Amino acid sequence: MSDTVRIFDTTLRDGEQCPGASMNIRQKMEVARQLERLGADIIEAGFPVISDGDFQAVHQIATEIQGPVIAGLARCVPKDIDAAAEAVKPAGNRGRIHVFLGTSKIHRDFKFGKAQDEILRLAVEGVKRARGYVEDVEFSPEDASRTELDFLAKIVEAAIAAGATTINMPDTVGYATPEEYGRMFKYVIENAKGARDAIFSAHCHDDLGLAVANSLAAVQNGARQVECTINGIGERAGNASLEEVVMALRTRRDCFGGVDTKVNAREIVKSSRLVSRMCGFLVQRNKAIVGANAFAHSAGIHQDGILKERSTYEIIDPKDIGWGDTELPLTKHSGRHAMAVRLKYLGYHLSEDEINQVFDRFKQIGDQKKFVYDDDLAALVEDQTLQPKEFYSLDYLNVVSGTSAVPTATVRLKEGETTKQDAHTGDGPVDAALKAVDRITGRRGALQEYQLRSVTAGKDAIGEVTVKVDFGDGQMVTGKGASTDIVVASARAYLSAVNRRIAMDKLPNRAQAAPAAPTAEAGP
Ligand code: KIV
Ligand code: ZN
């Protein structure tokens, strides 16, 4: 059995699927490029049949990313498989179709109303259709961990015979315990004919906080692919976190038969920050590996021990995962070239025009604060170039507020060549500014979440605001904005959500546009 565990990153599919984490195509491309640098073996880039946006993202990633395998997800339904095949086509022989079908009794009875034989037939047909397009086909019996073991082995055997090269057995609802999940792998690998010719894969959700432990138990029992996401983002409580799985395997090789991944661990912290920034999910301070406190030792006795010998209280050298990579802050005297070089180092792919736009903002910020750090630059890039800009941009904002003033905001927005201005009062300057924006755009958004964080230390730090807004249909739209003025940052964040909502309204929905679906295609 191979001693390499493949890392299948599903940040852009299962991760992005969680409410409020959606990314636009530019943001997905930045994440995909970072995953390539990180050394992910497989990038699951999306679920192409779901929407034109998903299809385009998978297609573009398959076109531009070299190295990793690019996977597109599909139900065992012809139109899904055809869309996935078309989307991953530019990747050539690095294209993978990942087909899935619910196999547990609960799914069979309540989602499909179908008996085991019928489910088995649909799985085989799905795998065969996918094999008609690509050599690399992954099959997932959804809710595998709640599927009867004998039926699971039977359907896995049939899928392998039909041409599946990877078998992923998900703990879809995060119900399994490590011992149980490991036993399932052992049983299926020992009992499904042809199992030795396929790669077995773990895919765990964190509903009971066991996603990483379950993934590791699967590896101990023969899995050689783990599906995971950066920062553990994903449906509900999230997926297994990539950085935890990778570092657990690497740090405790003695417990896992010496297996390892090909991940370039020095890219881990950068990947975590980028994903957090792109999808607007902050990383909790005490998160293992990538949380701000993960290597902070406050107890005096620990600090003393670390100074004498790092390994007294640290099991990983933080430098090995990219903490504290030397950062030379820029200042207002730094030129465009120095800034462009730094942006390239940070992994951004910007056109000359975009670099000029960021440089204009950089000079403004440089006048307001002494040093411009990497995180400041990343916030500017995100704010200036990666947000949808087509519809409205902030031209002018003036607020009156204070202990004895009625908070009032005057806002002017640009919409193409025209400008529109209005004013509003509110409970505070942010409330007033956002209400003035609503008045101009004619869209009333309900602010469901508002987060403000200072990008770096210092009273002059850039404030980065992340908002999640519901425009009346229950769907959460994320927006981000940055400025040394937090009211301006708030208005920018809100406007980026408005712009994103307008962009979403303009996209046709492929799944809805497609002909009526047969019963067997209920989604994940
Ligand atoms: O959790 C799950 O079962 C999934 C499948 C689509 C693999 O995400
Ligand atoms: Zn999942």
PDB file of all heavy atoms in Angstrom, residues 206-239:
ATOM      1  N   ASP A 206     -17.852  17.773  10.680  1.00  0.00           N
ATOM      2  CA  ASP A 206     -17.405  17.996  12.054  1.00  0.00           C
ATOM      3  C   ASP A 206     -18.538  18.195  13.064  1.00  0.00           C
ATOM      4  O   ASP A 206     -18.344  18.838  14.082  1.00  0.00           O
ATOM      5  CB  ASP A 206     -16.474  19.223  12.066  1.00  0.00           C
ATOM      6  CG  ASP A 206     -15.413  19.121  13.141  1.00  0.00           C
ATOM      7  OD1 ASP A 206     -15.068  17.979  13.515  1.00  0.00           O
ATOM      8  OD2 ASP A 206     -14.951  20.166  13.617  1.00  0.00           O
ATOM      9  N   ASP A 207     -19.700  17.620  12.777  1.00  0.00           N
ATOM     10  CA  ASP A 207     -20.863  17.862  13.649  1.00  0.00           C
ATOM     11  C   ASP A 207     -20.604  17.475  15.103  1.00  0.00           C
ATOM     12  O   ASP A 207     -21.162  18.090  16.013  1.00  0.00           O
ATOM     13  CB  ASP A 207     -22.079  17.116  13.100  1.00  0.00           C
ATOM     14  CG  ASP A 207     -22.399  17.569  11.680  1.00  0.00           C
ATOM     15  OD1 ASP A 207     -21.580  17.310  10.776  1.00  0.00           O
ATOM     16  OD2 ASP A 207     -23.416  18.223  11.479  1.00  0.00           O
ATOM     17  N   LEU A 208     -19.791  16.457  15.326  1.00  0.00           N
ATOM     18  CA  LEU A 208     -19.458  16.080  16.705  1.00  0.00           C
ATOM     19  C   LEU A 208     -18.002  16.438  17.039  1.00  0.00           C
ATOM     20  O   LEU A 208     -17.441  15.931  18.007  1.00  0.00           O
ATOM     21  CB  LEU A 208     -19.681  14.566  16.914  1.00  0.00           C
ATOM     22  CG  LEU A 208     -21.140  14.099  16.811  1.00  0.00           C
ATOM     23  CD1 LEU A 208     -21.230  12.585  16.912  1.00  0.00           C
ATOM     24  CD2 LEU A 208     -21.995  14.742  17.912  1.00  0.00           C
ATOM     25  N   GLY A 209     -17.421  17.277  16.188  1.00  0.00           N
ATOM     26  CA  GLY A 209     -16.028  17.680  16.434  1.00  0.00           C
ATOM     27  C   GLY A 209     -15.043  16.542  16.179  1.00  0.00           C
ATOM     28  O   GLY A 209     -13.936  16.543  16.723  1.00  0.00           O
ATOM     29  N   LEU A 210     -15.437  15.557  15.349  1.00  0.00           N
ATOM     30  CA  LEU A 210     -14.585  14.368  15.161  1.00  0.00           C
ATOM     31  C   LEU A 210     -14.043  14.240  13.744  1.00  0.00           C
ATOM     32  O   LEU A 210     -13.467  13.205  13.387  1.00  0.00           O
ATOM     33  CB  LEU A 210     -15.398  13.103  15.511  1.00  0.00           C
ATOM     34  CG  LEU A 210     -15.800  12.964  16.980  1.00  0.00           C
ATOM     35  CD1 LEU A 210     -16.766  11.806  17.183  1.00  0.00           C
ATOM     36  CD2 LEU A 210     -14.551  12.761  17.843  1.00  0.00           C
ATOM     37  N   ALA A 211     -14.230  15.271  12.924  1.00  0.00           N
ATOM     38  CA  ALA A 211     -13.878  15.123  11.502  1.00  0.00           C
ATOM     39  C   ALA A 211     -12.409  14.749  11.291  1.00  0.00           C
ATOM     40  O   ALA A 211     -12.098  13.859  10.491  1.00  0.00           O
ATOM     41  CB  ALA A 211     -14.215  16.410  10.756  1.00  0.00           C
ATOM     42  N   VAL A 212     -11.502  15.418  12.003  1.00  0.00           N
ATOM     43  CA  VAL A 212     -10.078  15.119  11.805  1.00  0.00           C
ATOM     44  C   VAL A 212      -9.762  13.737  12.383  1.00  0.00           C
ATOM     45  O   VAL A 212      -9.101  12.913  11.741  1.00  0.00           O
ATOM     46  CB  VAL A 212      -9.194  16.222  12.419  1.00  0.00           C
ATOM     47  CG1 VAL A 212      -7.732  15.811  12.411  1.00  0.00           C
ATOM     48  CG2 VAL A 212      -9.380  17.527  11.652  1.00  0.00           C
ATOM     49  N   ALA A 213     -10.269  13.468  13.584  1.00  0.00           N
ATOM     50  CA  ALA A 213      -9.996  12.160  14.211  1.00  0.00           C
ATOM     51  C   ALA A 213     -10.519  11.031  13.323  1.00  0.00           C
ATOM     52  O   ALA A 213      -9.844  10.008  13.130  1.00  0.00           O
ATOM     53  CB  ALA A 213     -10.653  12.104  15.587  1.00  0.00           C
ATOM     54  N   ASN A 214     -11.705  11.212  12.749  1.00  0.00           N
ATOM     55  CA  ASN A 214     -12.264  10.176  11.874  1.00  0.00           C
ATOM     56  C   ASN A 214     -11.413  10.001  10.610  1.00  0.00           C
ATOM     57  O   ASN A 214     -11.170   8.880  10.168  1.00  0.00           O
ATOM     58  CB  ASN A 214     -13.705  10.526  11.488  1.00  0.00           C
ATOM     59  CG  ASN A 214     -14.673  10.284  12.643  1.00  0.00           C
ATOM     60  OD1 ASN A 214     -14.360   9.563  13.578  1.00  0.00           O
ATOM     61  ND2 ASN A 214     -15.844  10.888  12.571  1.00  0.00           N
ATOM     62  N   SER A 215     -10.953  11.118  10.044  1.00  0.00           N
ATOM     63  CA  SER A 215     -10.129  11.025   8.830  1.00  0.00           C
ATOM     64  C   SER A 215      -8.851  10.241   9.131  1.00  0.00           C
ATOM     65  O   SER A 215      -8.405   9.408   8.327  1.00  0.00           O
ATOM     66  CB  SER A 215      -9.750  12.423   8.313  1.00  0.00           C
ATOM     67  OG  SER A 215     -10.907  13.202   8.136  1.00  0.00           O
ATOM     68  N   LEU A 216      -8.263  10.521  10.295  1.00  0.00           N
ATOM     69  CA  LEU A 216      -7.015   9.829  10.651  1.00  0.00           C
ATOM     70  C   LEU A 216      -7.265   8.335  10.897  1.00  0.00           C
ATOM     71  O   LEU A 216      -6.455   7.483  10.513  1.00  0.00           O
ATOM     72  CB  LEU A 216      -6.396  10.475  11.897  1.00  0.00           C
ATOM     73  CG  LEU A 216      -5.980  11.948  11.722  1.00  0.00           C
ATOM     74  CD1 LEU A 216      -5.492  12.531  13.053  1.00  0.00           C
ATOM     75  CD2 LEU A 216      -4.889  12.099  10.658  1.00  0.00           C
ATOM     76  N   ALA A 217      -8.436   8.023  11.476  1.00  0.00           N
ATOM     77  CA  ALA A 217      -8.770   6.603  11.699  1.00  0.00           C
ATOM     78  C   ALA A 217      -8.920   5.899  10.350  1.00  0.00           C
ATOM     79  O   ALA A 217      -8.529   4.727  10.202  1.00  0.00           O
ATOM     80  CB  ALA A 217     -10.066   6.493  12.502  1.00  0.00           C
ATOM     81  N   ALA A 218      -9.458   6.619   9.368  1.00  0.00           N
ATOM     82  CA  ALA A 218      -9.601   6.025   8.029  1.00  0.00           C
ATOM     83  C   ALA A 218      -8.218   5.726   7.444  1.00  0.00           C
ATOM     84  O   ALA A 218      -7.989   4.662   6.858  1.00  0.00           O
ATOM     85  CB  ALA A 218     -10.388   6.966   7.121  1.00  0.00           C
ATOM     86  N   VAL A 219      -7.282   6.665   7.632  1.00  0.00           N
ATOM     87  CA  VAL A 219      -5.916   6.450   7.113  1.00  0.00           C
ATOM     88  C   VAL A 219      -5.301   5.212   7.778  1.00  0.00           C
ATOM     89  O   VAL A 219      -4.691   4.367   7.115  1.00  0.00           O
ATOM     90  CB  VAL A 219      -5.038   7.702   7.347  1.00  0.00           C
ATOM     91  CG1 VAL A 219      -3.575   7.415   7.036  1.00  0.00           C
ATOM     92  CG2 VAL A 219      -5.537   8.872   6.496  1.00  0.00           C
ATOM     93  N   GLN A 220      -5.523   5.082   9.084  1.00  0.00           N
ATOM     94  CA  GLN A 220      -4.964   3.906   9.783  1.00  0.00           C
ATOM     95  C   GLN A 220      -5.558   2.605   9.255  1.00  0.00           C
ATOM     96  O   GLN A 220      -4.995   1.544   9.429  1.00  0.00           O
ATOM     97  CB  GLN A 220      -5.238   4.017  11.292  1.00  0.00           C
ATOM     98  CG  GLN A 220      -4.238   4.920  11.973  1.00  0.00           C
ATOM     99  CD  GLN A 220      -4.633   5.252  13.395  1.00  0.00           C
ATOM    100  OE1 GLN A 220      -5.822   5.414  13.693  1.00  0.00           O
ATOM    101  NE2 GLN A 220      -3.659   5.379  14.274  1.00  0.00           N
ATOM    102  N   ASN A 221      -6.716   2.721   8.604  1.00  0.00           N
ATOM    103  CA  ASN A 221      -7.372   1.515   8.100  1.00  0.00           C
ATOM    104  C   ASN A 221      -7.388   1.431   6.578  1.00  0.00           C
ATOM    105  O   ASN A 221      -8.254   0.791   6.000  1.00  0.00           O
ATOM    106  CB  ASN A 221      -8.792   1.429   8.664  1.00  0.00           C
ATOM    107  CG  ASN A 221      -8.764   1.030  10.130  1.00  0.00           C
ATOM    108  OD1 ASN A 221      -8.625  -0.137  10.454  1.00  0.00           O
ATOM    109  ND2 ASN A 221      -8.834   2.025  11.016  1.00  0.00           N
ATOM    110  N   GLY A 222      -6.450   2.127   5.956  1.00  0.00           N
ATOM    111  CA  GLY A 222      -6.254   1.902   4.525  1.00  0.00           C
ATOM    112  C   GLY A 222      -6.611   3.052   3.598  1.00  0.00           C
ATOM    113  O   GLY A 222      -6.355   2.973   2.395  1.00  0.00           O
ATOM    114  N   ALA A 223      -7.246   4.128   4.101  1.00  0.00           N
ATOM    115  CA  ALA A 223      -7.553   5.249   3.199  1.00  0.00           C
ATOM    116  C   ALA A 223      -6.246   5.889   2.759  1.00  0.00           C
ATOM    117  O   ALA A 223      -5.330   6.073   3.563  1.00  0.00           O
ATOM    118  CB  ALA A 223      -8.438   6.269   3.912  1.00  0.00           C
ATOM    119  N   ARG A 224      -6.166   6.265   1.481  1.00  0.00           N
ATOM    120  CA  ARG A 224      -4.968   6.938   0.982  1.00  0.00           C
ATOM    121  C   ARG A 224      -5.332   8.246   0.278  1.00  0.00           C
ATOM    122  O   ARG A 224      -4.565   8.800  -0.492  1.00  0.00           O
ATOM    123  CB  ARG A 224      -4.180   6.014   0.039  1.00  0.00           C
ATOM    124  CG  ARG A 224      -3.442   4.924   0.797  1.00  0.00           C
ATOM    125  CD  ARG A 224      -2.358   5.518   1.736  1.00  0.00           C
ATOM    126  NE  ARG A 224      -1.703   4.509   2.559  1.00  0.00           N
ATOM    127  CZ  ARG A 224      -2.070   4.183   3.802  1.00  0.00           C
ATOM    128  NH1 ARG A 224      -3.110   4.781   4.379  1.00  0.00           N
ATOM    129  NH2 ARG A 224      -1.409   3.268   4.466  1.00  0.00           N
ATOM    130  N   GLN A 225      -6.527   8.735   0.569  1.00  0.00           N
ATOM    131  CA  GLN A 225      -6.922  10.083   0.147  1.00  0.00           C
ATOM    132  C   GLN A 225      -7.771  10.645   1.280  1.00  0.00           C
ATOM    133  O   GLN A 225      -8.597   9.937   1.860  1.00  0.00           O
ATOM    134  CB  GLN A 225      -7.743  10.047  -1.141  1.00  0.00           C
ATOM    135  CG  GLN A 225      -8.298  11.424  -1.544  1.00  0.00           C
ATOM    136  CD  GLN A 225      -9.085  11.415  -2.840  1.00  0.00           C
ATOM    137  OE1 GLN A 225      -8.530  11.229  -3.924  1.00  0.00           O
ATOM    138  NE2 GLN A 225     -10.398  11.641  -2.737  1.00  0.00           N
ATOM    139  N   VAL A 226      -7.528  11.914   1.618  1.00  0.00           N
ATOM    140  CA  VAL A 226      -8.381  12.568   2.612  1.00  0.00           C
ATOM    141  C   VAL A 226      -8.974  13.817   1.974  1.00  0.00           C
ATOM    142  O   VAL A 226      -8.262  14.610   1.354  1.00  0.00           O
ATOM    143  CB  VAL A 226      -7.596  12.944   3.892  1.00  0.00           C
ATOM    144  CG1 VAL A 226      -8.483  13.734   4.846  1.00  0.00           C
ATOM    145  CG2 VAL A 226      -7.077  11.688   4.584  1.00  0.00           C
ATOM    146  N   GLU A 227     -10.288  13.978   2.127  1.00  0.00           N
ATOM    147  CA  GLU A 227     -10.961  15.156   1.600  1.00  0.00           C
ATOM    148  C   GLU A 227     -11.127  16.157   2.742  1.00  0.00           C
ATOM    149  O   GLU A 227     -11.631  15.816   3.811  1.00  0.00           O
ATOM    150  CB  GLU A 227     -12.320  14.765   1.004  1.00  0.00           C
ATOM    151  CG  GLU A 227     -12.143  13.676  -0.037  1.00  0.00           C
ATOM    152  CD  GLU A 227     -13.286  13.514  -1.014  1.00  0.00           C
ATOM    153  OE1 GLU A 227     -14.338  14.153  -0.825  1.00  0.00           O
ATOM    154  OE2 GLU A 227     -13.130  12.747  -1.968  1.00  0.00           O
ATOM    155  N   CYS A 228     -10.680  17.367   2.511  1.00  0.00           N
ATOM    156  CA  CYS A 228     -10.651  18.334   3.604  1.00  0.00           C
ATOM    157  C   CYS A 228     -10.688  19.752   3.042  1.00  0.00           C
ATOM    158  O   CYS A 228     -10.623  19.947   1.824  1.00  0.00           O
ATOM    159  CB  CYS A 228      -9.401  18.124   4.450  1.00  0.00           C
ATOM    160  SG  CYS A 228      -7.923  17.788   3.491  1.00  0.00           S
ATOM    161  N   THR A 229     -10.805  20.720   3.945  1.00  0.00           N
ATOM    162  CA  THR A 229     -10.880  22.120   3.506  1.00  0.00           C
ATOM    163  C   THR A 229      -9.931  22.963   4.345  1.00  0.00           C
ATOM    164  O   THR A 229      -9.651  22.638   5.507  1.00  0.00           O
ATOM    165  CB  THR A 229     -12.301  22.698   3.686  1.00  0.00           C
ATOM    166  OG1 THR A 229     -12.646  22.621   5.072  1.00  0.00           O
ATOM    167  CG2 THR A 229     -13.333  21.955   2.858  1.00  0.00           C
ATOM    168  N   ILE A 230      -9.505  24.070   3.764  1.00  0.00           N
ATOM    169  CA  ILE A 230      -8.670  25.002   4.519  1.00  0.00           C
ATOM    170  C   ILE A 230      -9.530  25.608   5.637  1.00  0.00           C
ATOM    171  O   ILE A 230     -10.678  25.998   5.403  1.00  0.00           O
ATOM    172  CB  ILE A 230      -8.166  26.133   3.604  1.00  0.00           C
ATOM    173  CG1 ILE A 230      -7.386  25.582   2.414  1.00  0.00           C
ATOM    174  CG2 ILE A 230      -7.353  27.163   4.386  1.00  0.00           C
ATOM    175  CD1 ILE A 230      -6.032  25.049   2.721  1.00  0.00           C
ATOM    176  N   ASN A 231      -8.975  25.683   6.811  1.00  0.00           N
ATOM    177  CA  ASN A 231      -9.651  26.211   8.012  1.00  0.00           C
ATOM    178  C   ASN A 231     -10.867  25.373   8.412  1.00  0.00           C
ATOM    179  O   ASN A 231     -11.655  25.781   9.263  1.00  0.00           O
ATOM    180  CB  ASN A 231     -10.094  27.671   7.834  1.00  0.00           C
ATOM    181  CG  ASN A 231      -8.924  28.603   7.579  1.00  0.00           C
ATOM    182  OD1 ASN A 231      -7.809  28.312   7.990  1.00  0.00           O
ATOM    183  ND2 ASN A 231      -9.172  29.722   6.919  1.00  0.00           N
ATOM    184  N   GLY A 232     -11.065  24.225   7.758  1.00  0.00           N
ATOM    185  CA  GLY A 232     -12.193  23.357   8.107  1.00  0.00           C
ATOM    186  C   GLY A 232     -13.551  23.938   7.743  1.00  0.00           C
ATOM    187  O   GLY A 232     -14.572  23.517   8.294  1.00  0.00           O
ATOM    188  N   ILE A 233     -13.583  24.891   6.798  1.00  0.00           N
ATOM    189  CA  ILE A 233     -14.897  25.453   6.452  1.00  0.00           C
ATOM    190  C   ILE A 233     -15.711  24.395   5.705  1.00  0.00           C
ATOM    191  O   ILE A 233     -15.150  23.487   5.087  1.00  0.00           O
ATOM    192  CB  ILE A 233     -14.808  26.758   5.620  1.00  0.00           C
ATOM    193  CG1 ILE A 233     -14.169  26.514   4.246  1.00  0.00           C
ATOM    194  CG2 ILE A 233     -14.035  27.840   6.377  1.00  0.00           C
ATOM    195  CD1 ILE A 233     -14.363  27.682   3.283  1.00  0.00           C
ATOM    196  N   GLY A 234     -17.018  24.496   5.781  1.00  0.00           N
ATOM    197  CA  GLY A 234     -17.855  23.528   5.073  1.00  0.00           C
ATOM    198  C   GLY A 234     -19.247  23.478   5.651  1.00  0.00           C
ATOM    199  O   GLY A 234     -19.560  24.180   6.613  1.00  0.00           O
ATOM    200  N   GLU A 235     -20.068  22.619   5.068  1.00  0.00           N
ATOM    201  CA  GLU A 235     -21.457  22.465   5.488  1.00  0.00           C
ATOM    202  C   GLU A 235     -21.584  22.376   7.011  1.00  0.00           C
ATOM    203  O   GLU A 235     -20.818  21.661   7.660  1.00  0.00           O
ATOM    204  CB  GLU A 235     -22.025  21.156   4.906  1.00  0.00           C
ATOM    205  CG  GLU A 235     -22.402  21.230   3.455  1.00  0.00           C
ATOM    206  CD  GLU A 235     -23.808  21.774   3.240  1.00  0.00           C
ATOM    207  OE1 GLU A 235     -24.597  21.848   4.201  1.00  0.00           O
ATOM    208  OE2 GLU A 235     -24.111  22.149   2.113  1.00  0.00           O
ATOM    209  N   ARG A 236     -22.541  23.040   7.566  1.00  0.00           N
ATOM    210  CA  ARG A 236     -22.835  23.038   9.008  1.00  0.00           C
ATOM    211  C   ARG A 236     -21.585  23.332   9.859  1.00  0.00           C
ATOM    212  O   ARG A 236     -21.016  24.384   9.755  1.00  0.00           O
ATOM    213  CB  ARG A 236     -23.503  21.710   9.416  1.00  0.00           C
ATOM    214  CG  ARG A 236     -24.736  21.344   8.586  1.00  0.00           C
ATOM    215  CD  ARG A 236     -25.326  20.024   9.039  1.00  0.00           C
ATOM    216  NE  ARG A 236     -24.345  18.973   9.082  1.00  0.00           N
ATOM    217  CZ  ARG A 236     -23.927  18.266   8.031  1.00  0.00           C
ATOM    218  NH1 ARG A 236     -24.487  18.465   6.854  1.00  0.00           N
ATOM    219  NH2 ARG A 236     -22.997  17.342   8.160  1.00  0.00           N
ATOM    220  N   ALA A 237     -21.146  22.301  10.626  1.00  0.00           N
ATOM    221  CA  ALA A 237     -19.979  22.526  11.492  1.00  0.00           C
ATOM    222  C   ALA A 237     -18.671  22.457  10.713  1.00  0.00           C
ATOM    223  O   ALA A 237     -17.589  22.611  11.280  1.00  0.00           O
ATOM    224  CB  ALA A 237     -19.972  21.485  12.615  1.00  0.00           C
ATOM    225  N   GLY A 238     -18.750  22.190   9.426  1.00  0.00           N
ATOM    226  CA  GLY A 238     -17.553  22.197   8.587  1.00  0.00           C
ATOM    227  C   GLY A 238     -17.022  20.808   8.256  1.00  0.00           C
ATOM    228  O   GLY A 238     -17.575  19.787   8.682  1.00  0.00           O
ATOM    229  N   ASN A 239     -15.952  20.805   7.468  1.00  0.00           N
ATOM    230  CA  ASN A 239     -15.286  19.565   7.047  1.00  0.00           C
ATOM    231  C   ASN A 239     -14.011  19.392   7.879  1.00  0.00           C
ATOM    232  O   ASN A 239     -13.631  20.286   8.629  1.00  0.00           O
ATOM    233  CB  ASN A 239     -14.883  19.659   5.570  1.00  0.00           C
ATOM    234  CG  ASN A 239     -16.077  19.600   4.638  1.00  0.00           C
ATOM    235  OD1 ASN A 239     -16.991  20.408   4.709  1.00  0.00           O
ATOM    236  ND2 ASN A 239     -16.070  18.634   3.739  1.00  0.00           N
TER     237      ASN A 239
END
